[in-house]
């Protein structure tokens, strides 16, 4: 069924080499050097496990750095900015 929809959407791909294989962009399997960025990648998982295991501020800082610094927008929330005139509610 999926291929039927694909053939209707892209009839030009039915001929030649393009019809044999679609380009794999890393959507279903993590690929470090090509494909799209995954927020839940092996480096991020290792950093989280290390931070939890060692319970050290430096390990957590490395995990936090991977989450916030230098990664492309991955989710809709990455494109939003929040501003509030209210005081934060204490968690403890």
């Amino acid at each position: 069924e999926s291929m039927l929809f694909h053939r209707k959407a892209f009839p030009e791909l039915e001929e030649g080499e393009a019809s044999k294989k679609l380009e794999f962009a890393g959507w279903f399997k993590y690929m470090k050097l090509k494909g799209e960025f995954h927020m839940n990648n092996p480096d991020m998982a290792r950093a989280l496990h290390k931070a939890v295991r060692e319970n050290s501020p430096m390990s957590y800082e490395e995990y936090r750095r991977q989450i916030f610094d230098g990664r492309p927008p991955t989710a809709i929330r990455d494109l939003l900015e929040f501003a509030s005139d209210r005081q934060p509610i204490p968690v403890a």
Side-chain angles (χ1 to χ4, degrees):
E1 181 180 12
S2 297
M3 290 307 294
L4 178 66
F5 289 127
H6 188 271
R7 283 187 204 104
K8 285 183 180 181
F10 304 102
E12 68 276 6
L13 295 179
E14 287 301 310
E15 301 170 10
E17 286 296 313
S19 66
K20 293 182 182 171
K21 185 174 180 182
L22 295 174
E23 181 181 338
F24 179 70
W27 294 330
F28 307 109
K29 177 183 172 188
Y30 176 75
M31 298 174 66
K32 186 168 187 130
L33 299 177
K34 70 178 204 179
E36 67 178 17
F37 176 80
H38 287 252
M39 187 179 290
N40 296 323
N41 59 54
D43 295 334
M44 184 83 67
R46 270 191 290 281
L48 174 61
H49 283 250
K50 184 177 178 183
V52 170
R53 209 174 23 254
E54 294 179 359
N55 195 23
S56 90
M58 293 303 290
S59 296
Y60 178 76
E61 181 59 30
E62 172 60 25
Y63 173 67
R64 190 212 60 79
R65 185 193 60 74
Q66 287 188 28
I67 291 175
F68 293 111
D69 300 342
R71 70 172 177 83
T74 308
I76 291 176
R77 68 176 175 257
D78 295 335
L79 304 174
L80 301 175
E81 293 183 22
F82 296 98
S84 176
D85 58 348
R86 297 179 180 183
Q87 291 295 318
I89 299 171
V91 179

